[in-house]
Amino acid sequence: MGNPMESDLIRLRALEPEDVNILYRWENDTETWKVSNTIAPFSKHVLRKFIAEQQRDIYETRQLRLIIESKAEGKPVGAIDLFDLDPYNCRAGVGILIYDKNDQGQGYASHAVSLLIRYCFQVLTLNQLYCNIPTQNLRSLALFKSKGFTVSGLKKEWTRTTSDWQDEYMLQLLNPKKW
């Protein structure tokens, strides 16, 4: 079957100390703040601590960030996150970023979500995954729906922007095989 963290297009890998500069760029780009609910910049010191934390057990930290790396170019194109891992209820949230506009629409996100689903259901034996997507983010909605996620709720005026309030969908994916 091969490496469950790789497809023919990408590999998902752990954060490395050398990733601090790319995380610094991604996390401090105010354009990405709209989807990450960030309202203040991150220092390199804070990001170094975050990377160091990722070396600890996922059940201890309750989160995991993986770098999405293009196999052809060997470069990071984005990140995929598990957050709010709840071991008792066997669920976690999912978030994804493909940073550069030139890398978007190339299949990286699709492959990353598929690999993460397999990891979560087969290795972590989670019962479900969920994600929260602004109603205007049609590309992310289409991505997660294509992977079997279904809209389970609408949160009205959930996220404040600089000019208004945005509604947000909650989507869920249940593990089809109960381990």
Side-chain angles (χ1 to χ4, degrees), residues 21-165:
N21 289 328
I22 200 155
L23 288 183
Y24 185 78
R25 188 172 82 217
W26 293 348
E27 293 289 351
N28 290 313
D29 182 340
T30 56
E31 287 300 308
T32 65
W33 289 6
K34 296 172 190 171
V35 293
S36 66
N37 291 325
T38 301
I39 58 170
F42 288 91
S43 69
K44 286 187 179 180
H45 173 75
V46 166
L47 292 170
R48 282 186 194 99
K49 285 175 56 178
F50 175 75
I51 290 170
E53 279 287 300
Q54 293 295 296
Q55 305 311 310
R56 294 176 35 215
D57 184 80
I58 187 173
Y59 291 106
E60 185 180 350
T61 63
R62 308 287 171 110
Q63 64 182 358
L64 175 67
R65 173 167 291 174
L66 297 166
I67 294 294
I68 304 165
E69 190 174 85
S70 161
K71 286 176 76 172
E73 298 178 46
K75 73 167 189 165
V77 295
I80 191 162
D81 295 337
L82 282 180
F83 61 90
D84 293 341
L85 174 69
D86 181 340
Y88 181 77
N89 290 299
C90 300
R91 66 178 172 236
V94 178
I96 189 167
L97 169 72
I98 303 298
Y99 180 75
D100 191 306
K101 300 282 186 235
N102 294 325
D103 292 327
Q104 294 174 4
Q106 302 301 312
Y108 297 130
S110 179
H111 281 244
V113 172
S114 292
L115 291 173
L116 190 74
I117 290 169
R118 184 170 59 191
Y119 171 74
C120 289
F121 289 166
Q122 293 180 2
V123 177
L124 300 179
T125 65
L126 296 181
N127 179 53
Q128 68 176 284
L129 296 171
Y130 68 90
C131 60
N132 302 298
I133 302 175
T135 56
Q136 297 89 339
N137 191 339
L138 301 179
R139 287 180 84 175
S140 285
L141 283 169
L143 168 66
F144 282 92
K145 286 180 176 181
S146 77
K147 301 301 174 187
F149 282 75
T150 57
V151 173
S152 58
L154 174 66
K155 298 179 271 187
K156 303 290 267 171
E157 296 185 7
W158 193 253
T159 305
R160 189 169 105 183
T161 70
T162 54
S163 59
D164 64 357
W165 291 89

